[in-house]
Amino acid sequence: MSCRRGLAMSITEWLDIFGPIVIAAVVGGAGCSLVGYYLSNLRLPFMGVCLSHAAMAGAVFASLLEVSIWPVAFACSVAVAFLVGYVAEHMEVELNVSMGILFSFIMGLAFLGIGLAEGPKTEVLGLIWGSVLLVSRRHVIWTAAATVLACIFAVLFGKELKAVLFSRAVAASSGIREGLVYYMLLLVSGLVITVNLESVGGLMLFSLLVAPPAAACRVSRGYRTSLVLSVFFGAVASLGGLGISWVLDTPTGASIVVVSSAIFALSALGARLWRP
Amino acid sequence: MNEAAIEAEGLSIRLGAHAALEDLTFRIAHGGKVGIMGPNGAGKTTLLRAMLGMLKPQAGRLTVMGQEPSALSKTRLAQLRTHVAYVPQLDFLRSGVPLTVREVVEISRAGRVGLLRSLGAADHDAVQTSLEQLGLGALAGRPYGDLSGGQQRKVQIARALAQEPSLLLMDEPAANLDLAWQEALVDLIDEVAAVRKLTLVIVTHDVSLLPRSCDSVLVLAEGRWRAFGAPEEVLTRDIISSLYGLPVDVERRAGRYHVVSQGAGDVDN
């Protein structure tokens, strides 16, 4: 769906229809990039893919079974996060290997579910590609609530998160409950990813989780600055993608991915040109 | 009899199918300065990780400051660890997160302060004291990732000291550095040992990197106890030759020990 037909509207009408869309895009992009900053710096960017696809698979099956989509999607996302962590810690399987196995299994389940869907598959396909233009006001509230929760988590556990990002072993040996902080981070990440599934889509979410944090770490040399910049880049990528979709009449989710990738490319270029 | 800071009785740890430590028994008194040495794969790092409660023994007992780390709840283990500082091998610390030197040192205080609380004035004082003691005051605002390997190890030692621990565990703190940095770090560890009242356990595979302050040495090979005692009793030609399977001479110069290889040859183990 494109945004162009809004051109002929009054400002009030425009705000009424597109205000929630803009808020969902900005707040959702910011939230994804906030949790993405932690996952990327824990060298777990693939965890983001696993969580988003687990949420997608859960949503597809919930849709098939005609039960409420979001609790199932969230439960699947969190279950996979904990399963990956458990397998890596207790079964002597390398973390990326365990995530790779689970990711392919989840993808298989999601497409199995899509294959089993009868009739028009618009709803389940929407979970893959997402559609920020079709989000409801209730969804916007959920997205904002998840992002606010992620921000509160980042503030309350700031010093522990910083330590865990530096080294889980050092954090643990300093008496920090790093396991607790790590699993809380996965829980919050699962929530943020799940609520953004409808607007950004399971396949596109990965870009918002990885590209803005990577761009922020390229151009910034401080922890706080890079964290804030990551959130800012995520919001800009979403808003920019929405704008491009409006102007060029292109699919919104794909436009967001293109903008977030462009932000990373520009930051990498800028860092190369201007850093000593 | 002085209560032991660390005590192992018949300690055995397996890593998968591999016996990393077997039937190890030793005792380190409070305030002791102990070097743990042995060739690669001797089980030195495994022993440190067990002391931190990161590995559970399959048999035997290991107590640290009177508590068994493997038997503690996660909360109690975290409390114990606030008194035990750890300097891991630098190869394990390749973080991409852009922290300054001060922020890295501040990590040491997070466990003591506890969840949902900010660092207070006493924490900032401990961090500043530690930075200054190690001559890192001028580097406090620099990105940690910009420092050389030697400077990064100094920061790790500063982080450990800022924790104000009763027990300091160091894993190969001077390995893979150039000669000047190796000497500087070994001297620094001696200074720390003289100034701070703590129990020090330092792991190394290189005899020449044992600080002068070590009052005893535990020698491991293939996970087994080989010798434990005063350096002059343990760091002998016979024991070191047997340990590495090479004929060697051991020389003592200015309180430090140096191994001189006599070339390849067969030595009865």
Side-chain angles (χ1 to χ4, degrees):
Chain A
M1 182 181 171
S2 81
C3 306
R4 272 203 180 157
R5 63 193 173 86
L7 280 171
M9 296 174 185
S10 70
I11 289 176
T12 315
E13 284 175 324
W14 192 94
L15 282 177
D16 196 39
I17 295 172
F18 290 103
I21 293 168
V22 171
I23 293 168
V26 170
V27 174
C32 285
S33 298
L34 176 60
V35 296
Y37 180 87
Y38 294 118
L39 295 177
S40 296
N41 280 306
L42 276 169
R43 300 183 190 276
L44 294 173
F46 210 49
M47 179 68 90
V49 194
C50 269
L51 297 186
S52 62
H53 287 77
M56 186 173 76
V60 166
F61 273 91
S63 174
L64 273 179
L65 298 169
E66 295 180 350
V67 295
S68 184
I69 284 178
W70 305 117
V72 179
F74 178 55
C76 286
S77 178
V78 170
V80 164
F82 281 65
L83 191 59
V84 168
Y86 184 84
V87 167
E89 283 183 20
H90 298 280
M91 298 181 75
E92 293 168 13
V93 179
E94 217 269 312
L95 189 62
N96 283 319
V97 173
S98 67
M99 282 195 287
I101 293 166
L102 266 169
F103 168 69
S104 52
F105 172 65
I106 292 160
M107 276 293 276
L109 275 185
F111 282 98
L112 186 69
I114 292 167
L116 289 173
E118 290 176 354
K121 300 180 180 182
T122 315
E123 187 183 11
V124 287
L125 288 175
L127 296 168
I128 296 178
W129 309 114
S131 180
V132 73
L133 304 181
L134 295 177
V135 295
S136 64
R137 280 177 189 274
R138 201 172 74 164
H139 181 85
V140 175
I141 292 168
W142 273 107
T143 307
T147 299
V148 168
L149 182 74
C151 291
I152 291 170
F153 172 69
V155 171
L156 288 183
F157 296 94
K159 69 181 190 305
E160 287 82 11
L161 283 165
K162 198 190 284 185
V164 168
L165 291 191
F166 180 70
S167 160
R168 286 187 69 188
V170 165
S173 67
S174 305
I176 293 169
R177 294 285 305 274
E178 58 84 30
L180 180 72
V181 175
Y182 177 71
Y183 281 106
M184 278 198 296
L185 170 65
L186 295 184
L187 192 73
V188 172
S189 302
L191 180 67
V192 170
I193 286 167
T194 302
V195 298
N196 281 283
L197 197 61
E198 188 178 330
S199 52
V200 186
L203 288 181
M204 308 293 185
L205 261 172
F206 187 47
S207 176
L208 280 178
L209 290 167
V210 173
C217 288
R218 287 262 164 195
V219 296
S220 160
R221 310 197 78 186
Y223 174 73
R224 275 188 199 161
T225 317
S226 60
L227 183 57
V228 171
L229 212 52
S230 172
V231 173
F232 175 71
F233 283 162
V236 168
S238 290
L239 198 59
L242 199 60
I244 286 176
S245 168
W246 170 284
V247 174
L248 301 178
D249 200 17
T250 51
T252 314
S255 305
I256 291 172
V257 171
V258 169
V259 175
S260 68
S261 304
I263 288 172
F264 173 74
L266 285 173
S267 68
L269 187 67
R272 199 176 171 81
L273 288 176
W274 288 300
R275 263 199 190 172
Chain B
M1 189 174 166
N2 187 13
E3 190 195 335
I6 302 167
E7 194 162 16
E9 286 175 29
L11 177 69
S12 296
I13 292 179
R14 300 189 74 81
L15 298 176
H18 168 65
L21 292 174
E22 276 192 275
D23 197 22
L24 203 58
T25 298
F26 65 90
R27 183 178 186 279
I28 298 173
H30 274 295
K33 313 284 185 268
V34 180
I36 299 178
M37 61 157 303
N40 294 333
K44 307 182 294 294
T45 298
T46 302
L47 181 54
L48 283 195
R49 289 170 59 80
M51 289 173 185
L52 284 160
M54 291 174 173
L55 295 171
K56 288 191 177 182
Q58 270 70 51
R61 245 173 121 240
L62 176 69
T63 57
V64 176
M65 325 270 291
Q67 300 181 75
E68 273 187 79
S70 61
L72 295 175
S73 68
K74 289 188 174 173
T75 306
R76 295 284 303 279
L77 180 60
Q79 284 169 355
L80 173 65
R81 283 171 174 168
T82 60
H83 301 288
V84 183
Y86 175 49
V87 178
Q89 290 182 32
L90 202 62
D91 294 347
F92 291 133
L93 300 174
R94 289 193 181 141
S95 169
V97 67
L99 298 185
T100 63
V101 167
R102 182 181 297 280
E103 285 173 321
V104 171
V105 177
E106 282 174 353
I107 289 171
S108 62
R109 306 297 296 184
R112 292 179 76 102
V113 169
L115 294 171
L116 306 176
R117 291 184 190 151
S118 303
L119 300 190
D123 302 304
H124 291 298
D125 286 348
V127 168
Q128 188 61 33
T129 303
S130 191
L131 284 168
E132 283 169 9
Q133 188 185 351
L134 273 79
L136 293 167
L139 298 178
R142 286 265 302 275
Y144 174 80
D146 286 1
L147 304 185
S148 69
Q151 287 172 322
Q152 288 187 351
R153 282 185 212 209
K154 265 179 113 173
V155 174
Q156 289 309 317
I157 296 171
R159 177 189 55 75
L161 292 178
Q163 198 173 323
E164 298 177 323
S166 306
L167 170 62
L168 174 56
L169 309 175
M170 304 175 95
D171 196 352
E172 305 274 10
N176 302 321
L177 294 176
D178 65 39
L179 188 61
W181 266 110
Q182 283 185 339
E183 291 301 310
L185 276 178
V186 173
D187 288 347
L188 179 69
I189 293 165
D190 278 327
E191 280 173 40
V192 166
V195 173
R196 304 245 182 165
K197 287 181 181 174
L198 45 75
T199 306
L200 174 67
V201 176
I202 179 165
V203 157
T204 179
H205 67 273
D206 185 345
V207 174
S208 66
L209 298 180
L210 274 178
R212 289 177 194 85
S213 50
C214 282
D215 49 32
S216 53
V217 177
L218 170 64
V219 179
L220 300 176
E222 295 173 343
R224 289 175 180 274
W225 183 98
R226 280 297 183 90
F228 185 44
E232 61 272 21
E233 294 167 1
V234 171
L235 301 177
T236 62
R237 183 165 65 178
D238 288 347
I239 290 176
I240 303 299
S241 294
S242 163
L243 192 65
Y244 291 101
L246 285 171
V248 298
D249 277 335
V250 179
E251 297 174 1
R252 188 175 182 191
R253 290 195 294 268
R256 299 255 302 277
Y257 290 82
H258 301 272
V259 173
V260 181
S261 171
Q262 299 298 305
D266 291 332
V267 175
D268 292 337
N269 282 309

